[in-house]
Amino acid sequence: MALIAKKIKGTEDILPRDSYKWQFVEKVLSEEAKVYGFSEIRTPVFEQTKLFQRGVGEGTDVVQKEMYTFETKGGESLTLRPEGTAGAARALLEHGLYNDGLPIKAHYFTTCYRYEKPQAGRQREFHQFGMEVYGAADPIADAELICAAKSIFDRLQLFDVRLELNSIGCPRCRKNYHQALKEYFAQFSDTLCATCMSRLEKNPMRILDCKSPVCKEIAQNAPKITDFLCESCDDHFKKVQNYLTAADIKFTVNPSIVRGLDYYTNTVFEFISDSIGAQSTVCGGGRYNGLIEELGGNPLPSLGFAIGLERLLMVMEAEGIEIPTPDTCALYIATMGEGAQREAFRIVKTLREAGLEAQFDIVGRGLKAQMKYANKIGAQFSMVLGDNEIDTKSAKLKNMKDSTETEISLGESFMEEFFSALIAEENGLNKAD
Ligand code: ATP
Ligand code: MG
């Protein structure tokens, strides 16, 4: 039989056997967001195209060639969100969240859509976790945000993910810098890639972010933004570094980090892993003091970062970080006959109400196949119910690990007896450890 459809190129399914890994990571991320005081924000998957054009920046690769943009039946241009910041910022403005008292701290989990060349660590639909701070201009806010990202990597035991830091200043310092970059790169107009040639006039800083090896090589000796920072940007950058050092957070200053989106000012940073190949940036972020104004609000200093969850999981796998497997089914009830099935249905319901995973046969298989299934799902205990067990109100509870059996009443004391067996099993396990 031919399938009528396949998954879209650059998208991935997260299957039941793997989803616990995502849930584990998402739980850690939510907990870290909580201790740092970031509540969750959820925004729509599509927005008006102009939000991203203005917010993400007309000169960026994302806006120029990576967006999934379509026209609605009513003729409006919409875009699937390529990143999480613009939507969060729009919601902040639309709901006047800044009236709730500053700073506003929010985190998000989103799918993002970018029409990129799919490869390891680069998909067309991917997942991000992000943290956003609005209304904090002080460099201590940059340090706190970076510290939050660092503590996520630490909690996941990813101690080799390293922090690289830069400042790209404010529009004032960038004016002179752009000039210097233009002069420098103009010498290489024969060798720069076509995209970078088009960047030369409009946005020469983008050349520093080019992925082509030739452009990367040329960019190595380009003038450094850190030599062009105005006094206040320089002071801001020095303070961020001092706070990080005081908090014992190691970093290196990398003057070629400019980030892929146009909205950044001052601090930019990346967390990079050497264990996942070319798409090595797991987290990117920084300050964007001009974004809110760009979107039509009053100026509001802001900052944030996003972690790519696919890449985060790739690093965890590459580094051999063990993710605890979920608790397995506590009891599987195998049944023979309709009366037994009804009784099994009743028993699993009581167990489930007590918060335990319990299962029974719902596909009408033979006893042997049912027991095979109980094994496959890793049930801790199993129990066979037939007419005899129903009549005597008693069954045999089988410990699936060592195959020992104990008698269990199906009457009022069932739950109590089952819990005792479960506790005994878990204590036994502890002893063995
Ligand atoms: P890159 O330079 O790798 O293209 P970017 O500058 O476009 O990254 P951001 O827009 O800052 O990245 O997104 C933040 C994070 O989201 C990245 O560091 C990465 O972990 C992840 N990410 C970005 N694009 C993709 C993608 N196409 N597939 C998977 N993850 C991605
Ligand atoms: Mg990109």
Side-chain angles (χ1 to χ4, degrees), residues 181-199:
L181 277 182
K182 272 184 209 168
E183 281 164 22
Y184 172 79
F185 283 120
Q187 306 171 72
F188 301 95
S189 50
D190 297 342
T191 25
L192 288 173
C193 75
T195 320
C196 282
M197 277 313 294
S198 70
R199 288 163 168 157

Side-chain angles (χ1 to χ4, degrees), residues 62 66 114 116 122 211:
V62 172
E66 296 174 3
R114 296 185 192 177
E116 299 198 75
R122 195 174 290 286
K211 308 276 189 294

Side-chain angles (χ1 to χ4, degrees), residues 44-267:
V45 68
F46 47 31
E47 299 270 2
Q48 291 179 304
T49 300
K50 56 192 170 205
L51 172 69
F52 302 115
Q53 264 163 359
R54 294 298 297 253
V56 174
E58 227 122 13
T60 62
D61 283 359
V62 172
V63 171
Q64 285 188 343
K65 49 184 195 200
E66 296 174 3
M67 292 206 308
Y68 281 90
T69 296
F70 58 97
E71 206 172 278
T72 63
K73 286 179 184 160
E76 190 179 19
S77 179
L78 304 185
T79 294
L80 299 185
R81 67 176 162 229
E83 52 99 59
T85 295
R90 185 219 21 92
L92 167 111
L93 287 170
E94 207 164 334
H95 301 278
L97 298 185
Y98 43 81
N99 293 323
D100 297 351
L102 297 174
I104 305 288
K105 290 166 145 190
H107 77 273
Y108 60 79
F109 289 94
T110 55
T111 50
C112 300
Y113 303 85
R114 296 185 192 177
Y115 196 78
E116 299 198 75
K117 190 167 163 243
Q119 53 199 290
R122 195 174 290 286
Q123 296 176 191
R124 290 182 173 173
E125 181 190 66
F126 62 97
H127 297 75
Q128 282 188 345
F129 163 82
M131 288 171 106
E132 307 277 330
V133 183
Y134 301 98
D138 198 285
I140 192 79
D142 307 45
E144 188 197 37
L145 180 77
I146 292 171
C147 188
K150 169 74 178 145
S151 68
I152 287 168
F153 292 113
D154 284 352
R155 260 201 65 188
L156 296 171
Q157 299 176 56
L158 300 174
F159 305 113
D160 290 338
V161 174
R162 61 175 197 278
L163 169 61
E164 297 198 350
L165 191 68
N166 192 21
S167 169
I168 55 169
C170 63
R172 222 163 10 122
C173 9
R174 253 180 271 163
K175 220 169 157 196
N176 291 337
Y177 182 55
H178 278 183
Q179 195 48 41
L181 277 182
K182 272 184 209 168
E183 281 164 22
Y184 172 79
F185 283 120
Q187 306 171 72
F188 301 95
S189 50
D190 297 342
T191 25
L192 288 173
C193 75
T195 320
C196 282
M197 277 313 294
S198 70
R199 288 163 168 157
L200 195 56
E201 273 312 305
K202 274 188 286 176
N203 199 348
M205 265 172 72
R206 289 261 72 79
I207 302 176
L208 301 173
D209 198 39
C210 184
K211 308 276 189 294
S212 130
V214 177
C215 301
K216 263 192 177 162
E217 169 102 31
I218 296 173
Q220 265 181 6
N221 295 317
K224 299 192 179 352
I225 177 76
T226 33
D227 295 330
F228 289 78
L229 295 181
C230 67
E231 208 180 315
S232 109
C233 288
D234 189 49
D235 181 57
H236 186 98
F237 192 35
K238 286 206 173 96
K239 283 185 173 147
V240 173
Q241 295 180 61
N242 288 341
Y243 288 132
L244 290 176
T245 306
D248 213 13
I249 295 173
K250 295 193 177 45
F251 60 89
T252 43
V253 173
N254 177 354
S256 68
I257 292 185
V258 295
R259 305 297 310 128
L261 314 175
D262 268 354
Y263 48 52
Y264 289 107
T265 54
N266 297 95
T267 316

